[in-house]
């Protein structure tokens, strides 16, 4: 490997014997493949918009310019640098480039090239779960796909260290410079674990354009400084070979200084100039204008036009050197300067983001790239150097299959006596995890918990003391001999808890990747992330994207709702119960009692790490509740029936001999419903009480009853039987519409109580009264139905 160094922010070759004949031959073939990748990616979008029938007339879309800026970067990566163990996250708008490369590698059938953005065809953005060809990371939500390989690196290390089979390999992110505006990027970079991830390589497509404009000041120096300060290796690919050669001639330093000082919009305007206009504009004014004019005067028009757009991100040789120069002891970022739309008629235009080439422009492009518009998908000829390079790359990148290991069986019930006394559902979380280490050790060893610095305050302390904290290397516990230390922070490679900094997006990013190890390497993990419920909203987008990408995990939000009374409105979650219903690929639970928490958590764990599995969201509380109110049957068959109902969505907690109203309550509000039932009985009105554990599963059952899904429906008849139909009052510590659909099960009148405004600090009784969800509010709502 040739040695390289960064000098004056430029990547230069030093030492070695030069590229040699073999290197030059490889370079020529790579450049031919690059031209074909440019053509295919452009033609895929062209066919979707200009050729394929479009009866609706709605724009299909695609990003020819954004793809063109990535063709050199991705060609050099796939056909020179990648190994079979590497993984790559591709920026959303470059998905056609990925599909073009996969086609050349034989990983995508030709029939799919005409299906970009068609139903069942190639997705708008790379999708690990929906595209027909290999996609390592789903991207599309800006910033989230770019950071995913960081968490993928940790997940691979964890799986490899605990169970083996995950191998090694680099984790690449190919991202646009505009993605660096996203806060998720910097939250991830600043996490204390990231500086040790030497397998991570980011390549920034520095084309200096956003959707609407040329970015006036990209501040590349500041960005490089921020990465350097975070402990990253920084490689700068600003100029290609043609410009480097010009810089070495008389007047070259003046030209370099002129371009370095030039604003982005002015440089982009030069790309739209003819050769004559370029000779006039490029020298600028002042004392350096003369030397620059003399430098470019002898150049023919083609050379001058080629030189001004010869940036490092389009120079295959420079890209190869950069990939070879990666320091595997720390993360690396490569700033690859590019031209948006490079090689297309739209290159450099400030509004080229979504522009499409015309038929005439496509014809001209085909002629220039040596292809045929009438046969756009023609492969390289058999026996050609290009075909040989594609075949060799395909062999090198072919991944060995992994035997799919089924996750261990998770018990449905730990067979403990039902808890007595007072307790809360948050406490039950930690107790269940500890019980699993004793009663189901094979399942427990697959559990990995993740927290953004809230482990002790979410009742994971006992679990941490038992299993330890994960670290790639063992670290000394300097407080091991401190008698007053309760939480023992033992960091070692065998630990099963990962502690991140205070950033919920990082938490769920890692959670999603830990949840994909079953499909990546055949090693299922059972990941559980714990976060304060008010901040689930902050974490929801990246967690949702992780689920979309195939990650299966459990997110625990605790403490929750206005039940967290003294904390005030800013820390009282309102919308999270309904968000759990609305999230695809996820089952949401909000148990009221410790035993319900145990059953629901075990059911959720048993649904992870499998092709037919799903994620889960548990909303827990710190409210002390009398556990005897759960009235868990002592008879084994009756207990099992209660468990089945609880994990299916609801159970009948109290049945009156002559009910006139039904109170359906969830989570921390069940004690208020029971108190209201007692008061109604004293007034001569019988009330049934239903404890809802999963509005999500009840809604799915209702949809299935209407023929809209294949979910089981039996729970509806068990909990809301027709013969006991009465008016309903629903109540929960969250937005009331979460349970409003329950009235449609038997088409009964329903009053929905809940939280619809920001809360107040205060005692729990005062806060419940403020929102009308105390027993007074429930009784009043019931009487409104009856009178």
């Amino acid at each position: 490997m040739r040695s390289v160094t960064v000098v004056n922010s430029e990547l230069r070759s030093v030492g070695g014997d030069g590229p040699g004949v073999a290197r030059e031959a490889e370079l020529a073939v790579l450049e031919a493949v690059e031209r074909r990748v440019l053509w295919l990616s452009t033609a895929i979008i062209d066919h979707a918009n200009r050729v394929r029938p479009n009866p609706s007339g709605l724009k299909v879309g695609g990003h020819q310019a954004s793809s063109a800026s990535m063709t050199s970067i991705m060609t050099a990566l796939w056909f020179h640098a990648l190994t079979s163990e590497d993984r790559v996250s591709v920026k959303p708008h470059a998905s056609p480039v990925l599909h073009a490369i996969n086609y050349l590698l034989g990983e995508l059938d030709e029939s799919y090239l005409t299906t970009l953005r068609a139903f069942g065809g190639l997705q708008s953005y790379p999708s690990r779960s929906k595209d027909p060809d290999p996609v390592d990371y789903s991207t599309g939500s800006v910033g989230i796909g770019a950071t995913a390989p960081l968490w993928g690196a940790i997940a691979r290390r964890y799986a490899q260290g605990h169970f083996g089979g995950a191998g090694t390999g680099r984790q690449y992110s190919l991202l646009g410079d505009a993605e660096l505006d996203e806060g998720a990027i910097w939250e991830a970079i600043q996490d204390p674990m990231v500086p040790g991830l030497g397998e991570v390589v980011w390549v920034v497509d520095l084309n200096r354009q956003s959707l609407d404009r040329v970015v006036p000041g990209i501040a590349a120096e500041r960005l490089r400084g921020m990465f350097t300060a975070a402990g990253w290796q920084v490689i700068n690919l600003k100029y290609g070979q043609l410009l480097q050669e010009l810089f070495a001639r008389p007047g070259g330093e003046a030209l370099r200084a002129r371009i370095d000082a030039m604003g982005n919009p002015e440089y982009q305007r030069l790309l739209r100039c003819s050769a004559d206009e370029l000779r006039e504009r490029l020298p600028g004014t002042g004392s350096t204008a003369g030397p620059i004019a003399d430098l470019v005067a002898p150049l023919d028009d083609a050379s001058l036009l080629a030189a001004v757009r010869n940036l490092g991100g389009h120079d295959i040789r420079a890209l190869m050197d950069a990939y070879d120069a990666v320091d595997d002891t720390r993360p690396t970022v490569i700033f690859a300067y590019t031209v948006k739309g490079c090689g297309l008629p739209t290159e450099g235009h400030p509004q080229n983001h979504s522009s499409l080439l015309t038929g005439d422009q496509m014809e001209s492009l085909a002629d220039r790239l040596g292809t045929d518009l009438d046969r756009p998908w023609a492969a390289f000829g058999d026996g050609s150097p290009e075909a040989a390079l594609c075949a060799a790359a395909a062999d090198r990148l072919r991944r060995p299959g992994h035997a799919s290991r089924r996750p261990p069986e998770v018990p449905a019930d730990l067979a403990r006596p039902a808890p007595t006394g007072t307790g809360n559902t948050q406490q039950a979380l930690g107790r269940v995890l500890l019980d699993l280490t004793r009663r189901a050790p094979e399942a427990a060893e697959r559990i990995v918990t993740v927290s953004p610095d809230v482990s002790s305050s979410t009742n994971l302390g006992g679990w941490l003391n038992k299993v330890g904290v994960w670290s790639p290397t063992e670290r000394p516990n300097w407080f091991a001999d401190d008698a007053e230390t309760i939480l023992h922070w033992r960091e070692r490679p065998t630990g099963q808890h990962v502690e991140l900094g205070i950033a919920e997006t990082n938490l769920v990013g890692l959670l999603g990747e830990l949840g994909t190890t079953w499909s990546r390497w055949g090693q299922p993990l059972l990941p559980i992330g714990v976060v304060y419920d008010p901040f689930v909203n902050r974490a929801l987008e990246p967690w949702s994207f992780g689920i979309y990408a195939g990650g299966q995990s459990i997110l625990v939000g605790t403490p929750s709702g206005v039940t967290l009374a003294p904390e005030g409105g800013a820390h009282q979650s309102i919308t999270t119960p309904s968000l759990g219903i609305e999230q695809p690929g996820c089952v949401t639970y909000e148990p009221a009692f410790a035993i319900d928490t145990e059953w629901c958590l075990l059911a959720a764990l048993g649904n992870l790490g499998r092709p037919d599995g799903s994620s889960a969201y548990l909303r827990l509380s710190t409210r002390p509740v009398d556990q005897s109110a759960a009235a868990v049957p002592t008879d084994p068959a009756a207990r099992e029936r209660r468990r089945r109902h609880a994990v299916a969505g609801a159970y009948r907690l109290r049945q009156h001999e002559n009910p006139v109203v039904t109170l359906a309550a969830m989570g921390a509000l069940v004690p208020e419903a029971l108190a209201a039932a007692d008061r109604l009985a004293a007034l001569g009105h019988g009330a049934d009480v239903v404890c809802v554990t999963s509005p999500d599963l009840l809604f799915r059952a209702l949809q299935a009853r209407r023929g809209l899904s294949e979910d089981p429906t039996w729970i509806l008849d068990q909990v809301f039987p027709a013969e006991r139909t009465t008016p309903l009052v629903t109540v929960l510590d969250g937005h009331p519409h979460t349970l409003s659909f329950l009235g449609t099960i038997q088409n009964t009148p329903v009053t929905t109580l809940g939280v619809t405004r920001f809360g107040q600090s205060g005692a729990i009784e005062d806060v419940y009264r403020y929102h009308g969800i105390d027993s007074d509010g429930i009784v009043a709502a019931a009487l409104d139905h009856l009178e």
Side-chain angles (χ1 to χ4, degrees):
M1 184 176 70
R2 303 170 69 208
S3 58
V4 294
T5 188
V6 176
V7 179
N8 295 327
S9 300
E10 301 295 344
L11 184 74
R12 301 177 184 272
S13 300
V14 296
D17 299 324
V21 175
R23 182 76 161 188
E24 290 300 324
E26 179 189 8
L27 185 62
V29 179
L30 276 169
E31 289 173 345
V33 172
E34 174 196 15
R35 290 191 292 272
R36 185 59 59 88
V37 172
L38 173 61
W39 166 255
L40 287 171
S41 60
T42 307
I44 288 170
I45 301 168
D46 176 69
H47 190 281
N49 288 272
R50 197 178 56 82
V51 180
R52 192 172 67 218
N54 182 10
S56 71
L58 293 175
K59 179 182 177 182
V60 176
H63 302 85
Q64 290 175 330
S66 295
S67 293
S69 69
M70 290 292 296
T71 54
S72 305
I73 292 169
M74 293 177 67
T75 299
L77 183 59
W78 259 264
F79 293 93
H80 169 73
L82 281 187
T83 72
S84 61
E85 291 195 316
D86 297 338
R87 298 290 187 273
V88 188
S89 170
V90 177
K91 79 171 189 176
H93 294 160
S95 65
V97 183
L98 177 61
H99 298 312
I101 289 174
N102 280 335
Y103 171 62
L104 292 177
L105 294 174
E107 296 284 359
L108 181 66
D109 188 81
E110 180 181 319
S111 61
Y112 281 105
L113 299 181
T114 61
T115 67
L116 179 69
R117 301 191 173 201
F119 186 81
L122 300 177
Q123 299 299 296
S124 303
Y125 310 121
S127 172
R128 186 168 180 263
S129 58
K130 295 183 179 298
D131 271 316
D133 52 333
V135 174
D136 292 332
Y137 290 98
S138 296
T139 60
S141 189
V142 176
I144 293 174
T147 58
L150 296 174
W151 317 124
I154 295 175
R156 186 206 61 76
R157 288 190 181 198
Y158 185 96
Q160 174 65 21
H162 282 75
F163 306 107
T168 57
R170 289 178 179 172
Q171 299 276 344
Y172 289 88
S173 283
L174 310 181
L175 60 155
D177 50 12
E179 288 196 75
L180 296 179
D181 290 343
E182 284 289 339
I185 295 284
W186 302 105
E187 286 185 349
I189 288 171
Q190 291 300 314
D191 191 87
M193 281 202 173
V194 170
L197 301 177
E199 63 266 50
V200 168
V201 181
W202 284 15
V203 185
V204 179
D205 171 16
L206 201 66
N207 61 45
R208 302 168 303 286
Q209 284 187 235
S210 62
L211 189 150
D212 291 328
R213 60 175 181 162
V214 177
V215 180
I218 203 67
E221 287 291 341
R222 177 175 57 83
L223 293 172
R224 288 195 289 270
M226 293 168 72
F227 276 96
T228 300
W232 290 50
Q233 177 192 20
V234 178
I235 296 175
N236 198 41
L237 289 180
K238 189 169 186 179
Y239 300 119
Q241 185 179 12
L242 296 179
L243 276 174
Q244 295 279 23
E245 291 175 354
L246 281 180
F247 295 157
R249 300 179 186 180
E253 286 303 318
L255 176 62
R256 180 198 293 270
R258 161 84 170 123
I259 297 177
D260 282 345
M262 192 179 293
N264 294 329
E266 183 183 2
Y267 175 78
Q268 295 286 104
R269 182 63 185 89
L270 294 180
L271 300 175
R272 310 292 300 171
C273 291
S274 66
D276 289 340
E277 292 173 322
L278 195 55
R279 295 179 195 281
E280 180 180 345
R281 289 174 177 255
L282 182 58
T285 59
S287 60
T288 60
I292 295 174
D294 292 342
L295 172 64
V296 301
L299 301 179
D300 59 61
D301 290 353
S303 297
L304 178 58
L305 291 171
V308 77
R309 50 192 31 82
N310 178 230
L311 299 180
H314 298 301
D315 190 304
I316 294 290
R317 187 198 308 272
L319 286 161
M320 292 164 67
D321 286 345
Y323 295 140
D324 292 344
V326 169
D327 176 4
D328 288 323
T329 66
R330 54 181 173 153
T332 295
V333 60
I334 300 172
F335 285 98
Y337 283 72
T338 61
V339 173
K340 194 165 184 175
C342 183
L344 304 181
T346 56
E347 67 179 357
H349 193 282
Q351 279 85 52
N352 67 6
H353 183 78
S354 297
S355 63
L356 299 169
L357 271 59
T358 66
D360 290 342
Q361 288 174 325
M362 286 296 296
E363 186 75 49
S364 176
L365 182 68
D367 291 341
R368 181 163 59 82
L369 296 179
T371 58
D372 186 347
L373 187 58
D374 294 329
R375 298 177 60 248
W377 323 122
F380 289 118
D382 291 340
S384 67
E386 294 83 4
L389 177 64
C390 292
D395 288 341
R396 185 182 73 249
L397 297 176
R398 190 165 292 113
R399 292 170 181 166
H402 292 284
S404 295
R405 178 190 177 102
R406 286 189 61 82
E409 292 296 322
V410 177
D413 189 342
L414 296 178
R416 292 171 40 125
T420 57
T422 59
N424 61 59
T425 55
Q426 179 177 296
Q427 291 170 341
L429 168 68
R431 186 169 62 248
V432 171
L433 294 179
L434 282 175
D435 283 350
L436 279 170
T437 63
R438 294 185 290 267
R439 297 171 182 254
E442 289 187 2
E445 72 175 359
R446 294 274 168 174
I447 293 174
V448 51
T449 56
V450 188
S451 168
D453 199 36
V454 293
S455 302
S456 57
S457 57
T458 54
N459 284 89
L460 289 184
W463 166 257
L464 262 67
N465 286 343
K466 176 74 173 179
V467 302
V469 178
W470 180 79
S471 173
T473 58
E474 187 152 359
R475 298 174 180 172
N477 177 14
W478 297 107
F479 289 87
D481 58 349
D482 188 334
E484 296 182 5
T485 298
I486 299 176
L487 185 63
H488 302 293
W489 206 260
R490 297 190 298 269
E491 297 179 87
R492 54 198 181 190
T494 57
Q496 290 180 243
H497 174 79
V498 183
E499 187 84 358
L500 300 176
I502 306 175
E504 286 76 15
T505 56
N506 292 350
L507 165 85
V508 294
L510 177 55
L511 205 58
E513 289 307 315
L514 289 167
T516 65
T517 58
W518 67 274
S519 58
R520 290 195 192 278
W521 302 291
Q523 288 292 358
L525 298 176
L526 308 179
I528 302 173
V530 181
V531 63
Y532 288 162
D533 196 68
F535 306 134
V536 166
N537 285 322
R538 184 185 299 173
L540 185 62
E541 184 196 2
W543 190 52
S544 174
F545 214 78
I547 294 173
Y548 171 76
Q552 297 174 8
S553 60
I554 297 172
L555 183 64
V556 177
T558 181
S560 61
V562 301
T563 299
L564 192 61
E567 292 287 344
H571 282 73
Q572 296 173 351
S573 53
I574 298 172
T575 62
T576 48
S578 58
L579 289 175
I581 296 178
E582 296 155 14
Q583 175 59 50
C586 166
V587 177
T588 182
Y589 292 104
E590 186 167 348
F593 300 102
I595 190 65
D596 298 346
T597 305
E598 174 187 314
W599 290 335
C600 293
L601 179 59
L602 293 175
L605 285 169
N607 212 21
L608 298 179
R610 53 205 321 144
D612 60 344
S614 74
S615 294
Y617 161 54
L618 272 69
R619 190 174 190 250
L620 305 183
S621 172
T622 52
R623 183 187 184 185
V625 172
D626 178 7
Q627 297 299 306
S628 65
V632 180
T634 56
D635 179 82
R639 176 186 170 112
E640 172 58 15
R641 183 175 184 272
R642 165 68 70 84
R643 186 201 67 80
R644 289 182 65 244
H645 285 198
V647 300
Y651 57 88
R652 300 186 69 79
L653 180 57
R654 182 179 294 181
Q655 293 194 157
H656 194 276
E657 61 183 13
N658 184 30
V660 294
V661 67
T662 299
L663 310 180
M666 188 165 77
L669 270 295
V670 168
E672 270 57 43
L674 291 172
D678 290 339
R679 292 173 58 182
L680 287 167
L683 295 173
H685 304 297
D688 284 350
V689 178
V690 171
C691 180
V692 176
T693 54
S694 176
D696 184 7
L697 293 177
L698 295 181
F699 184 75
R700 295 186 195 191
L702 186 60
Q703 293 290 85
R705 176 184 282 182
R706 294 167 177 160
L708 300 177
S709 75
E710 297 182 356
D711 292 284
T713 64
W714 62 268
I715 189 64
L716 300 180
D717 294 326
Q718 291 285 308
V719 178
F720 298 98
E723 64 273 16
R724 297 187 71 86
T725 298
T726 62
L728 268 171
V729 176
T730 67
V731 60
L732 76 154
D733 186 357
H735 199 283
H737 81 76
T738 305
L739 297 179
S740 62
F741 70 91
L742 294 181
T744 66
I745 295 174
Q746 298 293 353
N747 295 316
T748 56
V750 60
T751 298
T752 57
L753 304 179
V755 180
T756 59
R757 50 185 169 167
F758 290 115
Q760 297 280 345
S761 297
I764 192 171
E765 297 82 6
D766 296 331
V767 172
Y768 281 0
R769 187 178 304 111
Y770 172 75
H771 291 284
I773 56 176
D774 58 350
S775 59
D776 283 354
I778 299 172
V779 169
L783 293 176
D784 285 343
H785 280 300
L786 303 177
E787 297 177 4

